[in-house]
Amino acid sequence: MQASFNVIKWDEQPISEDRDDFPITQVHAEYELEGDLIGKAWVEYLLYYLDSNLEDGHLATARIAGFLHFEGQYKGKTGTFTAAEKGIFDKGLLDSPGMIIKAGGQLQALTGSYQYDFMKDQSKLRLDFKEIH
């Protein structure tokens, strides 16, 4: 199972302009999803840059921690879920799996995880979801 997503908002700001030894940024992002997940996701990330490249941000390396909140449909059922993510972005490759920590609405029995998968110009989530009955 998978869902394609487009980043429709990415707002990244440093936590502190005054501390060079604290290279952490906060990101507020929004994704539009289609496929097995149809809807929107709001993401809150903290990024700790281990290596940055000001000319091309996709060549940076950063530790990531955050939460994704989805609202929409999965397999024809409407609801929400929140997932916790933790991992690393390394020069264009993202290894930051998400784990569902709470679901609601018709998706309240949903559990599982997902992985990011980038192939050329396509951004996808590979889903490993289960429903408890």
Side-chain angles (χ1 to χ4, degrees):
M1 295 178 289
Q2 67 181 13
S4 299
F5 70 93
N6 291 314
V7 178
I8 57 173
K9 177 184 174 188
W10 185 273
D11 180 19
E12 184 171 349
Q13 301 295 325
I15 293 290
S16 174
E17 297 278 353
D18 302 331
R19 301 190 58 198
D20 291 335
D21 61 343
F22 195 62
I24 296 177
T25 63
Q26 183 176 16
V27 175
H28 306 285
E30 288 182 30
Y31 301 161
E32 283 184 339
L33 296 106
E34 57 185 40
D36 289 313
L37 288 174
I38 301 169
K40 276 193 170 184
W42 292 264
V43 185
E44 298 293 327
Y45 285 131
L46 289 176
L47 282 73
Y48 179 87
Y49 282 95
L50 303 167
D51 177 34
S52 64
N53 182 318
L54 296 177
E55 292 80 36
D56 187 350
H58 289 99
L59 296 178
T61 301
R63 288 273 178 202
I64 299 169
F67 294 95
L68 176 144
H69 179 75
F70 171 80
E71 292 182 6
Q73 292 187 343
Y74 173 68
K75 291 190 172 182
K77 294 181 179 179
T78 301
T80 65
F81 68 79
T82 301
E85 297 183 14
K86 183 178 177 184
I88 191 162
F89 178 84
D90 189 21
K91 297 173 182 61
L93 300 174
L94 179 61
D95 182 12
S96 185
M99 177 70 69
I100 294 174
I101 55 176
K102 182 168 176 68
Q106 294 177 327
L107 301 179
Q108 69 184 11
L110 191 66
T111 63
S113 62
Y114 56 86
Q115 289 272 356
Y116 287 93
D117 191 8
F118 298 104
M119 300 172 64
K120 297 187 182 179
D121 292 335
Q122 294 187 333
S123 302
K124 297 191 180 290
L125 292 177
R126 286 183 287 122
L127 310 175
D128 185 15
F129 289 174
K130 298 162 190 61
E131 289 188 65
I132 302 170
H133 298 285

